[in-house]
Amino acid sequence: MMTEATVQQTASKPDLNAPLAVEVNDLTVAYRSKPVLWDVDLNVPTGVLMAILGPNGAGKTTLLKSLLGLIPPAAGKVQILGQPYAKVQKRVGYVPQRGSVDWDFPTTVLDVVTMGVYGKIGWFKRPGKADRTAAMGALARVGMENFATRQISQLSGGQQQRVFLARALLQDADIYFMDEPFQGVDATTERAIIAILQEIKDAGKTVIVVHHDLQTVEEYFDWALLLNVRAIASGPVGEVFTGELLRQSYGGKISFIEDMQRYRLGEDAAALQSSARDLPPWESWGGGEG
Amino acid sequence: MDIAYLEILIVAILVTTASVIPGVFLVLRRTAMLSDAISHSVLFGIVIAFLVVQDLSHPALIVGAAATGILTVALVEMLNRTGKVHGDTAIGLVFPLLFSLAVIMISRYAGNVHLDTDAVLSGELAFVPFDRLLLGGLDLGPRSAWLLGGMLLLNLLFVLVFYKELKVSTFDPELAEAQGFRPKTMHYALMTLVSLTVVAAFQTVGSLLVIALLIVPAATSYLLTDRLSWMLVIGVVAGVLSAVFGFAGAIQLDLSISGSIVVAGGILFLLALVIAPRRGLLSTLRLRRKQRSDFAGNLLAVHLLNHQGTEKGTETCQSDRLAASLNWEPDYAQLACRNLQARRLIEKDDGVITLTEKGAEVARATMML
């Protein structure tokens, strides 16, 4: 069941002896010879809940997709759980952006969640009763069991995101990649989702999330990557989430960063709120496309 | 019924049902117009194949047509990937080119053969009984019945075998790709089937009307159901119905059979558009009315709750005061009152209305939103 308790930073430390969850060497990705990721190096240990942060156009989604082999790199090498993606595909769960699918598609909530096991059962075979029971279990975990037979177009944005999360849970993966799971969802859903992500992490799994909201980074995540075409820094949130590094990543938006620092010093929490809202390029501070 | 009529009807049913199966996926992928492109450009492959084998009934024509269909899809996607043209423009660039090349080649090299553009574009179901499949002197029935029956079987088989893969790669291509299902291969396989279906159908209904057979029953079915499996089933039923009604209409009124099948399909679509249970116009209208009425009711409930116990809390539905204090038109105030009464959220005592307990709850819930 869904818990809405306040999210606490758990003390569980990443396992530094296990193979790296993600190892990226010199990754360059280009669209029509225009590089969107330059020479990215990244090591993510197993068992962390990591945020990929960066301004618009920083290549966050591109990085996520090239980790999953959805975009071929121009150069560089990616390994997931110590192996090429194709080999560990069944151990990887992927939650695309909510807006990437057609929610008018004629299908039910349960059916969408059941798609989570398609990769495991492979070609030709159909999902069976056990798979649907498992799908119901995943729906229950995100608090959506009463919506199983609903047509998916009748869901709110937050409910859609929960369905996507349930689908990923059903994959029972060792590493999860999520693209903006908090985009345009209500506060309750955001709490519910982050609580589940914490549970996954506490089970020793790795969760990598493209994230927008700098205000919640320290509360939600224990690991972070600052990205702006290049990888500016990655590591424990405490080491990476500093004014200097943020300034490097977010470039000209200095006033915001300064507010952020003041905020961190406890001087003026409200200033952060207000200046954040004044930043037009920020995609989704509040409502998003909901 | 005359055996020839029966044969025509059977072929009509085969061609509509064979078309609707890939058509469902075209509609869901919002690539309906690709079928338009394919149905025109296949002529190019047919002409090339004909010039090589010099035989209009040679199977190479089908292969050539299918290959051009795939070529069309590949060219459209290549153009789109350049980023220089957007959306449907690529479709509009590719198929007229291939089609016009085909027209030029027909007029230059095949002018004296029965491969005129008219026949390709319109086709004629009425000629079905004249083209027999003979095997060692044995009459096996109209050739097109076998061709389209085979096409129907192939399409059915494809969807049954790859149902799960088609579903996930249509709904969420990225997930399908991440799961190793090769949605691009599925896409091209589907487009191959669309091309083959178009070729199989064009001799009987013509390459223009086959677009309607691919799209119209599928679009009708889309309005009527919320499940992919039912969309396929209802699509097939809609296809059969349009074949039967269209055929009957054509015989009664002495019209082009393929033309009236498409018209019958169009009428079925219009019916579905109006009366479909959830996606139809009537139910949308009804839903909007209900939402408007509920909204008005909720507003009034909140107003009553906020002013409970004060003078304003004891409104009467008739009074102009209600309309005045909320700055509402009297009609809208009446609508709100009637809505609350129907939902039993207010009680009327000597014309004075008060919220019931349930009404107060609804008002509180409204304010929570």
Side-chain angles (χ1 to χ4, degrees), chain A residues 32 65 68-70 85 89 94 96-97 100-108 111-112 115-119 121-127 149 151-154 164 167 171, chain B residues 25 28 30 80-84 159-168 170-175 177-182 184 186 222 225-229 231 278-279:
Chain A
R32 288 182 208 112
K65 287 186 179 175
L68 293 164
L70 295 174
Y85 172 73
Q89 179 190 299
Y94 173 44
Q97 277 186 31
S100 69
V101 305
D102 171 15
W103 289 96
D104 279 330
F105 193 86
T107 193
T108 59
D111 201 36
V112 170
M115 286 179 192
V117 295
Y118 281 14
I121 53 185
W123 289 86
F124 309 120
K125 277 176 244 142
R126 299 285 174 82
T149 56
Q151 209 275 327
I152 53 172
S153 64
Q154 299 168 28
F164 262 19
R167 186 175 75 176
Q171 287 175 276
Chain B
F25 291 96
L28 289 178
R30 309 192 170 186
N80 273 330
R81 262 205 306 275
T82 63
K84 306 293 179 199
V159 170
L160 285 178
V161 171
F162 293 105
Y163 183 73
K164 165 177 115 259
E165 289 78 8
L166 273 171
K167 181 161 70 180
V168 67
T170 303
F171 174 64
D172 193 342
E174 281 184 358
L175 179 77
E177 179 88 47
Q179 288 178 328
F181 283 127
R182 305 176 169 280
K184 284 203 186 87
M186 294 308 294
Y222 179 72
T225 178
D226 287 336
R227 305 281 186 283
L228 175 59
S229 47
M231 188 172 164
R278 223 168 48 73
R279 302 191 193 219

Side-chain angles (χ1 to χ4, degrees), chain B residues 2-9 11 124-133 139 141-145 204 257:
Chain B
D2 195 332
I3 185 82
Y5 280 157
L6 190 64
E7 283 176 358
I8 293 173
L9 180 59
V11 170
E124 186 48 74
L125 264 167
F127 298 152
V128 157
F130 300 122
D131 188 10
R132 318 295 299 182
L133 184 69
D139 182 4
R143 228 160 56 87
S144 49
T204 44
I257 302 172

Side-chain angles (χ1 to χ4, degrees), chain B residues 6 35 61 64 80 85 97 134 144 162 248 253 281 327 339 351 358:
Chain B
L6 190 64
S35 68
L61 269 64
N80 273 330
V85 293
L97 173 73
L134 301 170
S144 49
F162 293 105
L253 306 168
L281 292 176
N327 196 18
N339 175 275
K358 208 173 128 213

